[in-house]
Amino acid sequence: MNEKQASSKTAKQQAMILLGQLLQVRVMLFFVFVGLVYGYTIVKMNNLSDVNPSSSDVTSAVQTSQQSSPRIDQAVVDKIERLKDNSVNVQSLFNQARSNPFQE
């Protein structure tokens, strides 16, 4: 038997011993792995929750919200006002809607 075969045989024997030892503590290794994953997740969430937006982010968000706010055409408002003034049914509907806006 040459030296190369002997060293590979002992390497195989050592690997089998190491694998046997790892199998004995596999449950503990699993819990350590799960604990590390949970710990990393908690630390990452804590770091992300403390981040404040920059002033440029706030400015761009405000500008976007101002641009996307709904606008009502003045002609439509005038037409609704004329209809309200001309019809008793519409006047009662507006008064009822003002007194209880959540009634269907």
XYZ file of all heavy atoms in Angstrom:
812
model
N 0.850 -1.165 0.000
C 0.000 0.000 0.000
C 0.901 1.234 0.000
O 1.820 1.342 0.786
C -0.854 -0.040 1.255
C -2.001 0.912 1.191
S -2.935 0.904 2.712
C -4.066 -0.400 2.454
N 0.614 2.106 -0.898
C 1.478 3.275 -0.953
C 0.940 4.359 -0.013
O -0.134 4.245 0.571
C 1.648 3.779 -2.390
C 0.350 4.258 -3.007
O -0.593 4.557 -2.279
N 0.319 4.337 -4.313
N 1.696 5.407 0.084
C 1.380 6.474 1.043
C 0.116 7.236 0.657
O -0.662 7.658 1.512
C 2.578 7.433 1.090
C 2.492 8.433 2.198
C 3.756 9.273 2.258
O 4.859 8.730 2.243
O 3.593 10.500 2.330
N -0.150 7.413 -0.635
C -1.316 8.146 -1.096
C -2.602 7.412 -0.728
O -3.575 8.018 -0.286
C -1.207 8.341 -2.602
C -2.153 9.354 -3.167
C -1.838 9.591 -4.617
C -2.555 10.837 -5.068
N -2.289 11.153 -6.446
N -2.629 6.117 -0.906
C -3.815 5.332 -0.558
C -4.051 5.336 0.943
O -5.179 5.398 1.410
C -3.668 3.898 -1.066
C -3.772 3.758 -2.567
C -3.530 2.330 -3.013
O -2.928 1.534 -2.293
N -3.976 2.018 -4.228
N -2.982 5.288 1.705
C -3.102 5.285 3.161
C -3.649 6.624 3.659
O -4.499 6.658 4.562
C -1.754 4.989 3.802
N -3.185 7.715 3.067
C -3.651 9.020 3.515
C -5.110 9.238 3.120
O -5.879 9.853 3.851
C -2.765 10.132 2.971
O -2.896 10.219 1.572
N -5.507 8.712 1.946
C -6.904 8.857 1.557
C -7.797 7.994 2.432
O -8.930 8.362 2.744
C -7.083 8.509 0.084
O -6.917 7.128 -0.130
N -7.288 6.853 2.853
C -8.059 5.982 3.745
C -8.243 6.637 5.113
O -9.352 6.623 5.668
C -7.336 4.635 3.874
C -8.223 3.500 4.251
C -7.440 2.211 4.238
C -8.338 1.130 3.680
N -7.700 -0.166 3.704
N -7.204 7.243 5.632
C -7.334 7.908 6.926
C -8.197 9.156 6.804
O -8.930 9.495 7.725
C -5.950 8.282 7.499
O -5.264 9.105 6.559
C -5.133 7.052 7.820
N -8.131 9.834 5.655
C -8.981 11.010 5.449
C -10.439 10.589 5.417
O -11.311 11.265 5.989
C -8.588 11.724 4.163
N -10.749 9.456 4.779
C -12.114 8.950 4.751
C -12.582 8.575 6.155
O -13.724 8.854 6.533
C -12.220 7.737 3.824
C -12.169 8.070 2.352
C -12.294 6.820 1.506
C -12.138 7.140 0.035
N -12.221 5.934 -0.798
N -11.692 7.942 6.921
C -12.040 7.550 8.287
C -12.298 8.790 9.151
O -13.261 8.836 9.921
C -10.932 6.700 8.905
C -10.843 5.312 8.324
C -9.627 4.561 8.850
O -8.736 5.141 9.466
N -9.603 3.257 8.591
N -11.482 9.803 8.999
C -11.670 11.031 9.768
C -12.953 11.744 9.349
O -13.672 12.302 10.195
C -10.465 11.960 9.587
C -9.220 11.470 10.291
C -8.018 12.360 10.030
O -8.071 13.244 9.182
N -6.936 12.114 10.756
N -13.270 11.737 8.055
C -14.507 12.355 7.584
C -15.717 11.612 8.143
O -16.714 12.232 8.527
C -14.539 12.362 6.063
N -15.653 10.300 8.194
C -16.759 9.513 8.746
C -16.933 9.797 10.243
O -18.063 9.907 10.735
C -16.525 8.021 8.509
C -16.585 7.622 7.050
S -18.163 7.986 6.266
C -19.199 6.802 7.045
N -15.843 9.944 10.962
C -15.918 10.267 12.392
C -16.536 11.648 12.581
O -17.418 11.841 13.423
C -14.506 10.185 13.026
C -14.023 8.730 13.059
C -14.511 10.771 14.443
C -12.562 8.573 13.457
N -16.088 12.612 11.791
C -16.622 13.970 11.873
C -18.110 13.991 11.519
O -18.906 14.663 12.192
C -15.842 14.905 10.944
C -16.268 16.369 10.943
C -16.036 16.992 12.309
C -15.526 17.138 9.879
N -18.501 13.252 10.493
C -19.912 13.180 10.109
C -20.741 12.557 11.225
O -21.848 13.026 11.514
C -20.061 12.370 8.817
C -21.461 12.254 8.246
C -21.991 13.640 7.865
C -21.476 11.341 7.042
N -20.231 11.558 11.874
C -20.943 10.935 13.000
C -21.123 11.908 14.152
O -22.193 11.959 14.780
N -20.105 12.699 14.430
C -20.214 13.687 15.504
C -21.208 14.784 15.144
O -21.964 15.266 15.992
C -18.841 14.287 15.805
C -17.889 13.315 16.461
C -16.482 13.880 16.597
O -16.164 14.910 16.002
N -15.642 13.191 17.362
N -21.224 15.195 13.868
C -22.170 16.218 13.441
C -23.608 15.706 13.517
O -24.525 16.466 13.845
C -21.857 16.685 12.021
C -20.648 17.598 11.863
C -20.392 17.895 10.388
C -20.840 18.890 12.630
N -23.819 14.443 13.205
C -25.158 13.877 13.284
C -25.666 13.841 14.719
O -26.861 13.951 14.966
C -25.183 12.473 12.672
C -25.083 12.424 11.142
C -25.028 10.985 10.661
C -26.231 13.160 10.497
N -24.761 13.706 15.675
C -25.166 13.678 17.082
C -25.645 15.046 17.558
O -26.509 15.127 18.418
C -24.011 13.197 17.959
C -23.685 11.736 17.783
C -22.469 11.312 18.589
O -21.808 12.151 19.204
N -22.171 10.032 18.590
N -25.107 16.108 17.006
C -25.467 17.450 17.465
C -26.260 18.213 16.408
O -26.322 19.436 16.437
C -24.201 18.252 17.869
C -23.543 17.663 19.094
C -23.229 18.355 16.720
N -26.903 17.500 15.485
C -27.611 18.154 14.384
C -28.781 19.002 14.864
O -29.050 20.064 14.315
C -28.051 17.140 13.343
C -29.104 16.178 13.812
C -29.476 15.193 12.711
N -30.451 14.245 13.214
C -30.193 12.973 13.468
N -28.978 12.500 13.254
N -31.132 12.179 13.921
N -29.488 18.577 15.921
C -30.617 19.357 16.430
C -30.113 20.671 17.013
O -30.671 21.736 16.746
C -31.412 18.541 17.475
C -32.471 19.400 18.135
C -32.025 17.312 16.828
N -29.030 20.587 17.774
C -28.465 21.800 18.357
C -27.947 22.731 17.257
O -28.160 23.954 17.312
C -27.334 21.462 19.323
C -26.816 22.678 20.069
S -25.546 22.319 21.267
C -24.210 21.805 20.235
N -27.313 22.199 16.226
C -26.838 23.024 15.120
C -28.004 23.675 14.379
O -27.909 24.834 13.965
C -26.003 22.184 14.152
C -24.624 21.753 14.654
C -23.971 20.832 13.641
C -23.752 22.952 14.919
N -29.114 22.963 14.229
C -30.287 23.534 13.588
C -30.811 24.720 14.386
O -31.119 25.769 13.831
C -31.375 22.461 13.433
C -32.670 22.998 12.921
C -32.809 23.339 11.586
C -33.751 23.187 13.768
C -34.001 23.845 11.102
C -34.944 23.687 13.300
C -35.073 24.019 11.962
N -30.927 24.571 15.713
C -31.419 25.665 16.541
C -30.458 26.855 16.537
O -30.886 28.011 16.557
C -31.694 25.197 17.972
C -32.962 24.413 18.100
C -32.948 23.116 18.581
C -34.177 24.964 17.742
C -34.117 22.386 18.705
C -35.351 24.249 17.856
C -35.313 22.949 18.329
N -29.171 26.599 16.494
C -28.198 27.687 16.408
C -28.358 28.424 15.070
O -28.362 29.661 15.031
C -26.754 27.152 16.578
C -25.722 28.196 16.180
C -26.536 26.696 18.006
N -28.544 27.681 13.988
C -28.742 28.295 12.678
C -30.016 29.134 12.646
O -30.000 30.275 12.184
C -28.797 27.206 11.598
C -29.116 27.740 10.234
C -28.169 28.441 9.506
C -30.377 27.545 9.678
C -28.463 28.943 8.241
C -30.679 28.042 8.422
C -29.722 28.740 7.707
N -31.117 28.602 13.166
C -32.376 29.342 13.195
C -32.226 30.586 14.066
O -32.714 31.673 13.723
C -33.533 28.442 13.690
C -34.786 29.249 13.988
C -33.838 27.365 12.656
N -31.532 30.474 15.197
C -31.303 31.627 16.062
C -30.491 32.709 15.372
O -30.778 33.903 15.517
N -29.489 32.309 14.606
C -28.687 33.288 13.869
C -29.523 33.995 12.798
O -29.410 35.209 12.617
C -27.480 32.603 13.221
C -26.362 32.172 14.181
C -25.315 31.353 13.436
C -25.729 33.382 14.839
N -30.368 33.245 12.119
C -31.222 33.857 11.095
C -32.189 34.840 11.744
O -32.366 35.960 11.264
C -31.979 32.771 10.296
C -33.066 33.388 9.431
C -31.008 31.973 9.446
N -32.828 34.442 12.855
C -33.745 35.354 13.550
C -33.013 36.583 14.085
O -33.510 37.701 14.005
C -34.460 34.642 14.701
C -35.668 33.866 14.273
C -35.816 32.542 14.629
C -36.674 34.454 13.516
C -36.932 31.812 14.243
C -37.787 33.743 13.129
C -37.904 32.418 13.496
O -39.004 31.716 13.099
N -31.833 36.383 14.641
C -31.057 37.514 15.150
C -30.693 38.491 14.053
O -30.823 39.714 14.230
N -30.260 37.970 12.920
C -29.925 38.839 11.784
C -31.158 39.609 11.318
O -31.081 40.802 11.039
C -29.347 38.005 10.639
C -29.127 38.800 9.379
C -28.025 39.644 9.270
C -30.009 38.724 8.315
C -27.820 40.390 8.115
C -29.818 39.456 7.159
C -28.716 40.287 7.068
O -28.520 41.030 5.924
N -32.295 38.928 11.248
C -33.525 39.578 10.805
C -33.934 40.690 11.758
O -34.320 41.785 11.325
C -34.661 38.544 10.689
O -34.239 37.489 9.818
C -35.929 39.170 10.165
N -33.847 40.449 13.046
C -34.232 41.462 14.040
C -33.306 42.671 13.971
O -33.763 43.814 14.002
C -34.257 40.843 15.450
C -35.437 39.884 15.560
C -34.327 41.918 16.526
C -35.439 39.056 16.827
N -32.011 42.433 13.846
C -31.058 43.543 13.762
C -31.306 44.344 12.491
O -31.304 45.582 12.505
C -29.605 43.014 13.818
C -28.611 44.087 13.421
C -29.297 42.493 15.204
N -31.555 43.668 11.377
C -31.799 44.364 10.109
C -33.081 45.185 10.188
O -33.120 46.335 9.726
C -31.886 43.326 8.989
C -31.730 43.888 7.632
C -30.314 44.357 7.420
C -30.101 44.663 5.967
N -28.891 45.407 5.744
N -34.142 44.623 10.773
C -35.397 45.364 10.912
C -35.211 46.577 11.817
O -35.767 47.648 11.555
C -36.492 44.454 11.478
C -37.030 43.481 10.471
S -38.243 42.271 11.036
C -38.868 42.871 12.542
N -34.449 46.434 12.876
C -34.201 47.550 13.785
C -33.447 48.669 13.066
O -33.767 49.849 13.234
C -33.424 47.069 15.008
C -33.354 48.116 16.084
O -34.197 49.000 16.160
N -32.340 48.026 16.924
N -32.464 48.309 12.258
C -31.717 49.322 11.512
C -32.603 50.022 10.489
O -32.505 51.235 10.291
C -30.515 48.693 10.808
C -29.431 48.303 11.784
O -29.381 48.786 12.911
N -28.567 47.398 11.359
N -33.471 49.280 9.821
C -34.331 49.879 8.805
C -35.425 50.740 9.412
O -35.884 51.695 8.793
C -34.945 48.786 7.926
C -33.971 48.060 7.007
C -34.673 46.916 6.289
C -33.344 49.013 6.013
N -35.860 50.426 10.630
C -36.931 51.217 11.238
C -36.427 52.565 11.751
O -37.223 53.483 11.936
C -37.570 50.438 12.394
O -36.656 50.304 13.462
N -35.136 52.703 11.967
C -34.580 53.958 12.472
C -34.202 54.936 11.366
O -33.806 56.057 11.653
C -33.335 53.673 13.325
C -33.694 52.998 14.634
O -34.856 53.110 15.048
O -32.806 52.358 15.236
N -34.323 54.538 10.112
C -33.903 55.392 9.001
C -34.957 56.472 8.771
O -36.150 56.194 8.675
C -33.716 54.545 7.727
C -33.407 55.437 6.540
C -32.603 53.544 7.923
N -34.509 57.719 8.709
C -35.395 58.848 8.432
C -35.204 59.276 6.983
O -34.096 59.237 6.458
C -35.077 60.031 9.354
C -35.430 59.724 10.789
O -36.412 59.043 11.047
N -34.625 60.207 11.715
N -36.276 59.718 6.334
C -36.130 60.155 4.944
C -35.344 61.459 4.867
O -35.370 62.280 5.779
C -37.573 60.359 4.475
C -38.349 60.602 5.720
C -37.654 59.827 6.801
N -34.650 61.639 3.756
C -33.893 62.873 3.569
C -34.853 64.002 3.191
O -36.000 63.770 2.815
C -32.844 62.683 2.469
O -33.487 62.495 1.222
N -34.367 65.219 3.304
C -35.223 66.372 2.993
C -35.612 66.395 1.517
O -36.713 66.830 1.165
C -34.529 67.669 3.383
O -33.325 67.818 2.659
N -34.744 65.911 0.643
C -35.098 65.868 -0.783
C -36.205 64.850 -1.036
O -37.082 65.080 -1.881
C -33.867 65.549 -1.628
O -33.381 64.257 -1.311
N -36.200 63.726 -0.308
C -37.281 62.751 -0.435
C -38.608 63.341 0.019
O -39.646 63.140 -0.619
C -36.975 61.492 0.383
C -35.830 60.683 -0.188
O -35.531 60.855 -1.389
O -35.252 59.879 0.569
N -38.578 64.074 1.121
C -39.800 64.691 1.641
C -40.320 65.736 0.657
O -41.518 65.798 0.362
C -39.542 65.324 3.026
C -40.733 66.132 3.484
C -39.193 64.253 4.039
N -39.419 66.555 0.121
C -39.819 67.594 -0.827
C -40.436 66.992 -2.081
O -41.474 67.455 -2.551
C -38.604 68.459 -1.207
O -38.018 68.985 -0.025
C -38.996 69.586 -2.134
N -39.819 65.945 -2.605
C -40.367 65.323 -3.821
C -41.711 64.655 -3.543
O -42.614 64.704 -4.380
C -39.384 64.312 -4.403
O -39.224 63.223 -3.525
N -41.895 64.077 -2.368
C -43.176 63.467 -2.026
C -44.271 64.519 -1.885
O -45.403 64.317 -2.321
C -43.047 62.662 -0.734
N -43.938 65.654 -1.296
C -44.922 66.735 -1.153
C -45.305 67.286 -2.513
O -46.478 67.531 -2.788
C -44.365 67.842 -0.222
C -45.221 69.093 -0.294
C -44.276 67.338 1.209
N -44.323 67.483 -3.372
C -44.619 67.999 -4.714
C -45.477 67.013 -5.502
O -46.402 67.417 -6.198
C -43.322 68.285 -5.472
C -42.584 69.498 -4.967
C -41.239 69.683 -5.643
O -40.758 68.794 -6.339
N -40.622 70.831 -5.409
N -45.194 65.744 -5.361
C -45.986 64.732 -6.058
C -47.416 64.716 -5.548
O -48.364 64.621 -6.330
C -45.355 63.340 -5.874
O -44.017 63.383 -6.339
C -46.126 62.280 -6.632
N -47.584 64.831 -4.246
C -48.946 64.806 -3.696
C -49.719 66.069 -4.076
O -50.925 66.019 -4.271
C -48.908 64.651 -2.176
O -48.364 65.805 -1.573
N -49.039 67.187 -4.198
C -49.722 68.418 -4.612
C -50.149 68.346 -6.072
O -51.204 68.837 -6.452
C -48.827 69.635 -4.387
C -48.665 70.013 -2.931
C -47.679 71.153 -2.730
O -46.966 71.531 -3.650
N -47.621 71.674 -1.529
N -49.331 67.711 -6.889
C -49.650 67.600 -8.308
C -50.771 66.593 -8.546
O -51.543 66.744 -9.488
C -48.415 67.169 -9.096
C -47.344 68.232 -9.148
C -46.060 67.698 -9.750
O -45.949 66.521 -10.064
N -45.079 68.570 -9.906
N -50.874 65.591 -7.713
C -51.860 64.543 -7.952
C -53.153 64.758 -7.175
O -54.025 63.903 -7.201
C -51.260 63.181 -7.580
O -51.003 63.143 -6.187
N -53.281 65.881 -6.475
C -54.515 66.117 -5.729
C -55.658 66.374 -6.705
O -55.465 66.988 -7.752
C -54.357 67.296 -4.765
O -54.084 68.472 -5.476
N -56.849 65.907 -6.373
C -57.969 66.065 -7.316
C -58.382 67.526 -7.458
O -58.407 68.283 -6.490
C -59.084 65.242 -6.677
C -58.727 65.135 -5.246
C -57.237 65.208 -5.167
N -58.703 67.895 -8.663
C -59.155 69.255 -8.964
C -60.557 69.169 -9.568
O -60.849 68.287 -10.375
C -58.226 69.913 -9.973
C -56.764 69.913 -9.566
C -56.331 71.296 -9.144
N -54.893 71.335 -8.936
C -54.343 71.433 -7.741
N -55.083 71.495 -6.676
N -53.048 71.480 -7.613
N -61.424 70.084 -9.154
C -62.777 70.138 -9.677
C -62.881 71.377 -10.549
O -62.536 72.486 -10.124
C -63.809 70.182 -8.537
C -63.690 68.928 -7.691
C -65.206 70.309 -9.090
C -64.569 68.916 -6.474
N -63.359 71.149 -11.743
C -63.506 72.250 -12.698
C -64.568 73.226 -12.182
O -65.622 72.826 -11.699
C -63.910 71.675 -14.056
C -63.864 72.723 -15.152
O -63.185 73.748 -14.955
O -64.510 72.506 -16.189
N -64.281 74.511 -12.280
C -65.202 75.541 -11.778
C -66.542 75.509 -12.521
O -67.586 75.766 -11.934
C -64.558 76.927 -11.891
C -65.354 78.029 -11.228
C -65.517 77.805 -9.723
O -64.627 77.309 -9.050
N -66.678 78.164 -9.189
N -66.537 75.150 -13.783
C -67.786 75.061 -14.546
C -68.697 73.980 -13.975
O -69.918 74.157 -13.902
C -67.480 74.776 -16.008
N -68.122 72.885 -13.535
C -68.911 71.805 -12.937
C -69.503 72.269 -11.614
O -70.676 72.004 -11.308
C -68.035 70.544 -12.752
C -68.767 69.472 -11.975
C -67.567 70.005 -14.090
N -68.709 72.986 -10.839
C -69.205 73.506 -9.556
C -70.357 74.469 -9.791
O -71.396 74.403 -9.102
C -68.057 74.185 -8.769
C -68.588 74.874 -7.526
C -66.983 73.176 -8.406
N -70.219 75.355 -10.760
C -71.284 76.317 -11.070
C -72.555 75.607 -11.524
O -73.669 75.976 -11.124
C -70.822 77.299 -12.145
C -69.703 78.212 -11.646
O -69.583 78.373 -10.409
O -68.960 78.741 -12.498
N -72.407 74.573 -12.334
C -73.572 73.836 -12.824
C -74.288 73.132 -11.671
O -75.525 73.149 -11.601
C -73.127 72.817 -13.875
C -74.262 72.140 -14.581
C -73.735 71.312 -15.737
C -74.889 70.748 -16.530
N -74.446 69.991 -17.692
N -73.556 72.538 -10.758
C -74.167 71.880 -9.601
C -74.884 72.902 -8.731
O -75.993 72.654 -8.237
C -73.098 71.106 -8.795
C -72.613 69.899 -9.591
C -73.644 70.652 -7.447
C -71.467 69.169 -8.967
N -74.273 74.056 -8.555
C -74.915 75.115 -7.760
C -76.225 75.574 -8.411
O -77.230 75.784 -7.726
C -73.968 76.313 -7.590
C -72.796 76.051 -6.669
C -73.212 75.868 -5.225
O -74.196 76.501 -4.787
O -72.545 75.085 -4.533
N -76.231 75.746 -9.734
C -77.460 76.139 -10.436
C -78.531 75.075 -10.300
O -79.705 75.376 -10.075
C -77.160 76.390 -11.910
C -76.561 77.750 -12.193
C -76.619 78.059 -13.678
N -76.062 76.960 -14.482
C -74.822 76.941 -14.977
N -74.009 77.946 -14.749
N -74.403 75.924 -15.682
N -78.140 73.809 -10.432
C -79.114 72.721 -10.285
C -79.670 72.680 -8.866
O -80.859 72.447 -8.657
C -78.468 71.378 -10.636
C -78.201 71.116 -12.106
C -77.403 69.843 -12.270
C -79.505 71.036 -12.880
N -78.823 72.909 -7.905
C -79.258 72.901 -6.508
C -80.256 74.033 -6.250
O -81.256 73.845 -5.552
C -78.046 73.049 -5.581
C -78.392 72.947 -4.114
C -77.184 73.183 -3.264
C -77.097 74.685 -3.060
N -76.263 75.097 -1.964
N -79.986 75.174 -6.812
C -80.863 76.325 -6.593
C -82.206 76.171 -7.300
O -83.230 76.687 -6.832
C -80.183 77.608 -7.070
C -78.992 77.963 -6.192
O -78.946 77.481 -5.038
O -78.109 78.706 -6.671
N -82.250 75.456 -8.416
C -83.463 75.367 -9.228
C -84.398 74.219 -8.835
O -85.563 74.241 -9.212
C -83.111 75.208 -10.704
C -82.455 76.459 -11.247
O -82.663 77.550 -10.730
N -81.663 76.297 -12.285
N -83.944 73.249 -8.125
C -84.769 72.072 -7.860
C -84.946 71.873 -6.359
O -83.986 71.852 -5.598
C -84.111 70.838 -8.462
O -84.821 69.696 -8.092
N -86.191 71.694 -5.954
C -86.494 71.437 -4.537
C -85.998 70.059 -4.138
O -85.478 69.856 -3.030
C -88.020 71.573 -4.294
C -88.371 71.200 -2.872
C -88.491 72.959 -4.634
N -86.130 69.086 -5.042
C -85.670 67.724 -4.738
C -84.157 67.702 -4.517
O -83.658 67.019 -3.626
C -86.029 66.769 -5.873
C -87.515 66.536 -5.984
O -88.246 66.691 -5.001
N -87.962 66.167 -7.177
N -83.437 68.434 -5.337
C -81.984 68.479 -5.194
C -81.614 69.211 -3.911
O -80.680 68.807 -3.208
C -81.336 69.140 -6.432
C -79.843 69.306 -6.237
C -81.617 68.317 -7.671
N -82.353 70.273 -3.563
C -82.079 70.991 -2.309
C -82.279 70.067 -1.115
O -81.452 70.045 -0.202
C -82.983 72.213 -2.184
C -82.589 73.353 -3.081
C -83.536 74.540 -2.943
O -84.543 74.462 -2.245
N -83.198 75.623 -3.618
N -83.343 69.291 -1.121
C -83.573 68.372 0.010
C -82.508 67.280 0.030
O -82.084 66.826 1.096
C -84.968 67.768 -0.072
O -85.076 66.946 -1.219
N -82.067 66.834 -1.135
C -81.007 65.828 -1.206
C -79.705 66.369 -0.626
O -79.023 65.682 0.146
C -80.811 65.388 -2.662
C -79.776 64.301 -2.906
C -80.211 62.994 -2.257
C -79.559 64.107 -4.390
N -79.357 67.617 -0.973
C -78.146 68.227 -0.431
C -78.263 68.403 1.088
O -77.312 68.139 1.825
C -77.860 69.578 -1.096
C -77.076 69.460 -2.365
C -77.723 69.465 -3.594
C -75.703 69.346 -2.343
C -77.008 69.361 -4.767
C -74.982 69.247 -3.510
C -75.632 69.244 -4.737
N -79.436 68.868 1.564
C -79.616 69.055 3.006
C -79.545 67.725 3.742
O -78.964 67.623 4.824
C -80.955 69.750 3.286
C -80.934 71.193 2.839
O -79.873 71.813 2.778
N -82.101 71.718 2.520
N -80.126 66.694 3.167
C -80.089 65.372 3.787
C -78.649 64.839 3.800
O -78.215 64.238 4.789
C -80.991 64.418 3.008
C -81.080 63.031 3.612
C -81.954 62.109 2.767
O -82.362 62.472 1.675
N -82.212 60.934 3.272
N -77.916 65.047 2.748
C -76.538 64.593 2.680
C -75.661 65.349 3.672
O -74.718 64.794 4.225
C -75.991 64.755 1.262
N -75.973 66.605 3.925
C -75.195 67.362 4.907
C -75.478 66.883 6.315
O -74.596 66.823 7.156
C -75.537 68.850 4.800
C -74.837 69.540 3.686
C -74.966 71.043 3.802
N -74.515 71.657 2.566
C -75.319 72.206 1.686
N -76.611 72.247 1.862
N -74.830 72.726 0.573
N -76.729 66.566 6.601
C -77.081 66.157 7.964
C -76.587 64.756 8.289
O -76.221 64.464 9.416
C -78.589 66.253 8.179
O -79.255 65.326 7.312
N -76.591 63.851 7.285
C -76.100 62.499 7.517
C -75.354 62.028 6.265
O -75.930 61.399 5.396
C -77.285 61.559 7.820
C -76.795 60.210 8.307
O -75.600 59.979 8.412
N -77.734 59.334 8.596
N -74.052 62.316 6.193
C -73.323 62.028 4.965
C -73.082 60.541 4.723
O -72.758 60.138 3.611
C -71.988 62.758 5.168
C -71.845 62.896 6.625
C -73.231 62.999 7.186
N -73.281 59.689 5.748
C -72.986 58.271 5.570
C -74.229 57.450 5.274
O -74.173 56.245 5.156
C -72.279 57.730 6.815
C -70.986 58.446 7.076
C -70.860 59.333 8.123
C -69.895 58.252 6.259
C -69.684 59.996 8.357
C -68.711 58.898 6.482
C -68.606 59.778 7.530
N -75.366 58.103 5.158
C -76.607 57.398 4.839
C -76.679 57.184 3.341
O -76.344 58.052 2.556
C -77.795 58.224 5.301
C -79.131 57.554 5.070
C -80.272 58.439 5.545
O -80.034 59.577 5.953
N -81.463 57.933 5.503
N -77.130 55.995 2.956
C -77.219 55.711 1.526
C -78.574 56.039 0.993
O -79.566 55.968 1.593
C -76.920 54.243 1.272
C -75.462 53.921 1.538
C -75.139 52.503 1.129
O -75.906 51.884 0.391
O -74.105 52.007 1.561
